[in-house]
Structures are given as C-alpha cells and as structure tokens.
Amino acid sequence: MMFSNLLFKIQDQLDFLYQNSLFLQKIDYFILCSILAVFVLSTFLSSDYIGFIALITMFLTFIKLVTKRGEKFSFNLFEIILVAYFMIVVISLAGSTLFALSLKGFLKTFVYIGFYFSVAHYLKNNLNKLPLICLTIAGCVGFESIVAVLQNFAHVEAISTWQDTSHLNPEQVMTRVYGTLKPLNPNLLGGYFVVGVPAVFAICANSFLNKSLKRAIVGLIFSILAVIGLFLTGCRGAYLALLLILGCTFLLSAKFFWSKYKKIYLGIITSAIGLFTFALITVASLRARFCSIFAMRNDSSNSFRFNVYQSSLEMFKDNWLLGIGVGNKNFREIYGLYMKTGFDALSSYNIFLEIAVESGIFALLVFLGFVFVCAKDAIKMVLTSVDFEKVIFVSMALISILAVMFHGFVDTVFFRPQIQFVFWTMVAIVSAYKE
C-alpha cells in the first residue's frame, strides 16, 4: 500500500511528461517491439546482447510505470512467492565467498525476473497482443527447425564430443544438429524446442479455432517440422520432455474434441504413437540414441552426469543453508574442490539441484512452491474457462512450463537466456489471464 501511494505521487509529478510526449504515449508499442526483439535476436546473438535488449524492455516498463497516471503493479500468489525466491537469492549473494563471480550470476537472475514482470505488466493491459507474441516465438522455433533439417542433410560435424560412439556402428552415429543459438550446442537447441514447441501447437490450434484454414495448415506443417527438429538434436532429455508435451497436449485437447470427435481424437493419438514407434524401429541412429537413455553407466554421457550429481550433492551438503552463490562461473570455481578427476562441469545438470547448490534449501523449496502454484492456477483456468482462446494459450503456457521443468531433471540449459526469456513469457501469460 505504501509503495502504491509513493508510486501515485511520482506519477502525479511526472504526468505532464506523459501528456506532452508522443514517445511516452506510444510507449506500449516500443515495449512490444523490444519484447519481440528479445525472441528474434535470441536466435543468433550471444547472451550479453540478448540481456541488453531485455534491459531495454525493463527500462521502458519502468518509464511507463512512473509517468503514466494510474499504472500500478499487482501481485498474485505465485508472483509473491517468486519475489520471496529472489530475496533468498539476494541473501545467498551476500553470503557468497566468491562475491564478484556470484554477482554476475545474480545480475542475470535479476534481468530474467525483471523481464518477466515487464512482460506480465504489458500483457495485463494488452492481452490482445498475445497472439502476436506467441506467433513470434513460434516463428523463431519454426526457423530453428528449418535450420535443423538443413544441418541434418548437410551432415554437420560435431563441434565437441556430443555422444558416446564407442559402442555404436557407423550407421548408428547420429548427426546432432545445433541450429543458430549461441553457444552452438544440440542440448541447448533441444531445450529451446521444448520451451517453444507448445507455442507452435497453440498458433495452429488458435488458427483452427478462428477458422483460418491456410494459417492452420502452415501451423501444422511447422508443428511437424519442430518435432522433427527436436528429434534431430539428439537431446535425450528433450525426447522425454516431448513425450510429456504430446501427452499433455492430447490430454488438454480433450476439452475440445472428446465429446464430439471421440473416434477422430483416438485415431490421432494412435497415429502419433504409431509414428513415434515406427521412427524408433526404422531409424537406427535415433533408436540407438533413445535407447542410450537406459544404458545407465554403460553410456559415457550418463556416467558423466552421475558423477556430477554425486559431486553436486556433496557441494549442497556443505552449503545447504545459503548455497554457494548464483552463476555457472561461481559453480565451476567451487566444483573444482569436489569433482571427480577428469569430470569438470559448468553446472550440476539438474536445475533443482543447481538451485539448491547455488542458493540453498529454502530457495529450492520456494522455487518449487512457485512452480506448483503457477501450474495449479493454470490448470484451474483450463478446466473452468469457457473461452476457448484463453484455454489454448493458458494450456500452451502450462505445457511449456511443465516440459521445461521435466527436461530440467537431466540438464541445465534452462539457465540459458534463449530458454529463460521464453519460459518467463509463458509464466507471464498465466499471470495475465489470471487477472
């Protein structure tokens, strides 16, 4: 309440600027452009440049907030929990033994969460722009899927050792595509498809809803391309997340199709399962890659992760209260004291373990609480809403959030900006519709 009163006083003092500035009166347009620029430029720029564009979004939102009379921030429950998580991260930063390195990681966290609140605030007043935002994300995913297919045909060489080929025949060695995302890495591209594929599905579904057949067909084509692109990354965590995406998509789509199109609906599910099984049986490299998930210690990548998990757990046990501080550089410095010889790592390869190691047990519990409340609110809206467009976009956001969390059990590409900014946009969509 005190914050709101202070904000209103500042707005009263600066309202004359808003009334006499064409730029300020059009500031929503510039905020939208900066949001879209973050997604588009994420496909080829490095982290620092992407973060700079996100800072512009945050700055424009702040300017709007202090100059336009009546603007205010309102927080729902999961946003309050998110603020609590951020405060714990601040405390962890203050207690870090490597403050300078941890500060860099903290600033990234600040930008990610600041971008979230900027997008959420924008959407609450401009929900009609949501299809454009989702279309931009879907377009970027579509672009990456085309690049992935082309790289597969070109048989691009691995930039580093991305798969264990010691037990494979030549025909079982997979060409792992990596797209244009920086740094070039197939796991990063796989994670990007995981967070973005639901947006492609949503655009396709929304086009069918609006009876735009041509756009729906294009959306369907890009949906198929995106799934193919995900497979071509060879990212096994993304494979598992895709199963969750498809399962949740079919489950939630029952709200539309079950009562009238039961036979068609079951036919689509059967066809999807059949195609997936057919691909595993007929494509030797894909089958070998998928089956390596269950090879446990017999696969060097799996064995590497198990060693990292063990070392990270030891780190957590010694720093369980406040963690070591945020950031992969900070992690790498301290990990050197715990790692098994020859198994250096930039992260713990599990986002939940990573949060616990970096910021302590309370940060992990609060973050899990944030995800749970956000997902619960989204599920409630999907089940109770009669607005089909709302159901489509909230379902999209929910599936994306759950898929990223599921993928996060075996990888930490979640912390890359290309994935973070899309992920927080999905959370912002839930927040906007909750208002």
Side-chain angles (χ1 to χ4, degrees):
M1 189 68 178
M2 184 175 67
F3 173 78
S4 297
N5 291 335
L6 177 61
L7 179 61
F8 293 151
K9 288 180 181 179
I10 296 174
Q11 290 173 351
D12 289 338
Q13 295 296 320
L14 299 179
D15 183 61
F16 75 96
L17 290 175
Y18 184 86
Q19 298 300 331
N20 294 280
S21 171
L22 181 61
F23 171 78
L24 291 177
Q25 291 177 17
K26 297 289 185 180
I27 198 166
D28 273 353
Y29 170 78
F30 295 106
I31 292 174
L32 175 62
C33 289
S34 67
I35 293 171
L36 300 182
V38 167
F39 302 133
V40 174
L41 298 179
S42 290
T43 58
F44 60 88
L45 288 184
S46 62
S47 300
D48 291 341
Y49 293 109
I50 303 169
F52 178 75
I53 304 300
L55 280 172
I56 293 176
T57 304
M58 295 164 59
F59 175 74
L60 291 174
T61 302
F62 175 77
I63 294 299
K64 176 185 175 182
L65 196 63
V66 298
T67 59
K68 185 177 181 181
R69 184 173 291 172
E71 288 293 311
K72 62 179 181 178
F73 264 121
S74 58
F75 297 92
N76 57 50
L77 179 57
F78 66 76
E79 287 175 334
I80 294 173
I81 298 174
L82 180 60
V83 172
Y85 167 75
F86 181 74
M87 295 307 298
I88 295 174
V89 172
V90 172
I91 296 171
S92 175
L93 168 68
S96 176
T97 56
L98 297 174
F99 182 83
L101 291 178
S102 186
L103 181 61
K104 294 180 181 179
F106 168 78
L107 291 176
K108 291 179 182 179
T109 303
F110 171 76
V111 172
Y112 295 149
I113 295 180
F115 181 79
Y116 159 71
F117 280 110
S118 298
V119 176
H121 183 72
Y122 175 81
L123 286 177
K124 287 173 183 177
N125 299 312
N126 300 275
L127 202 52
N128 62 314
K129 300 297 183 182
L130 177 56
L132 177 59
I133 292 176
C134 292
L135 181 62
T136 302
I137 296 173
C140 293
V141 173
F143 167 74
E144 290 297 334
S145 65
I146 293 173
V147 172
V149 171
L150 293 176
Q151 287 180 341
N152 181 68
F153 280 120
H155 297 289
V156 291
E157 294 184 4
I159 297 175
S160 60
T161 307
W162 285 333
Q163 59 182 322
D164 184 358
T165 60
S166 59
H167 304 292
L168 299 178
N169 295 324
E171 69 273 9
Q172 294 178 313
V173 177
M174 187 176 195
T175 299
R176 298 192 63 189
V177 301
Y178 43 79
T180 64
L181 306 180
K182 302 293 177 62
L184 302 176
N185 186 298
N187 286 345
L188 172 58
L189 182 60
Y192 184 72
F193 280 130
V194 167
V195 74
V197 162
V200 186
F201 290 176
I203 290 299
C204 180
N206 195 51
S207 299
F208 274 115
L209 179 66
N210 294 325
K211 299 180 180 179
S212 178
L213 187 59
K214 290 182 180 179
R215 184 181 295 180
I217 292 173
V218 172
L220 183 60
I221 292 172
F222 274 100
S223 295
I224 296 171
L225 278 175
V227 172
I228 292 172
L230 186 151
F231 274 117
L232 294 176
T233 65
C235 178
R236 297 169 297 174
Y239 292 172
L240 297 177
L242 178 63
L243 294 178
L244 185 142
I245 290 172
L246 295 177
C248 289
T249 299
F250 288 131
L251 183 64
L252 294 174
S253 63
K255 182 180 178 74
F256 298 94
F257 302 120
W258 186 258
S259 59
K260 293 184 179 180
Y261 307 103
K262 182 178 179 180
K263 292 183 178 180
I264 297 176
Y265 181 75
L266 291 174
I268 292 174
I269 295 176
T270 303
S271 299
I273 295 173
L275 285 173
F276 180 77
T277 305
F278 178 77
L280 287 180
I281 293 174
T282 58
V283 183
S285 59
L286 178 61
R287 181 175 66 255
R289 188 64 184 163
F290 185 82
C291 291
S292 69
I293 296 174
F294 311 102
M296 305 305 286
R297 285 282 185 179
N298 291 325
D299 180 87
S300 63
S301 179
N302 293 348
S303 184
F304 170 78
R305 277 172 164 75
F306 291 143
N307 288 326
V308 174
Y309 293 155
Q310 290 175 1
S311 299
S312 297
L313 282 171
E314 292 301 317
M315 292 173 66
F316 170 65
K317 289 177 183 178
D318 290 344
N319 303 274
W320 66 272
L321 184 60
L322 295 178
I324 63 174
V326 186
N328 64 310
K329 292 183 178 180
N330 189 51
F331 179 93
R332 189 170 189 178
E333 286 292 323
I334 297 180
Y335 180 79
L337 303 173
Y338 293 86
M339 74 175 185
K340 296 180 182 296
T341 304
F343 291 94
D344 189 17
L346 293 174
S347 66
S348 65
Y349 289 93
N350 179 297
I351 63 174
F352 307 105
L353 183 55
E354 184 84 11
I355 291 171
V357 168
E358 291 185 351
S359 303
I361 184 64
F362 294 109
L364 174 61
L365 293 175
V366 172
F367 182 80
L368 291 174
F370 154 74
V371 174
F372 173 78
V373 175
C374 179
K376 180 176 69 68
D377 288 346
I379 292 171
K380 183 178 179 181
M381 283 187 280
V382 170
L383 295 178
T384 60
S385 177
V386 294
D387 181 345
F388 278 174
E389 183 172 270
K390 176 179 178 179
V391 171
I392 288 172
F393 286 120
V394 175
S395 297
M396 168 200 70
L398 172 64
I399 293 170
S400 180
I401 292 167
L402 294 179
V404 170
M405 292 295 101
F406 189 63
H407 184 205
F409 278 107
V410 292
D411 212 330
T412 47
V413 290
F414 168 71
F415 295 105
R416 300 300 305 178
Q418 296 90 339
I419 297 174
Q420 280 277 306
F421 289 126
V422 178
F423 172 82
W424 289 113
T425 299
M426 296 300 176
V427 179
I429 291 169
V430 177
S431 177
Y433 273 115
K434 186 173 170 58
E435 285 294 302

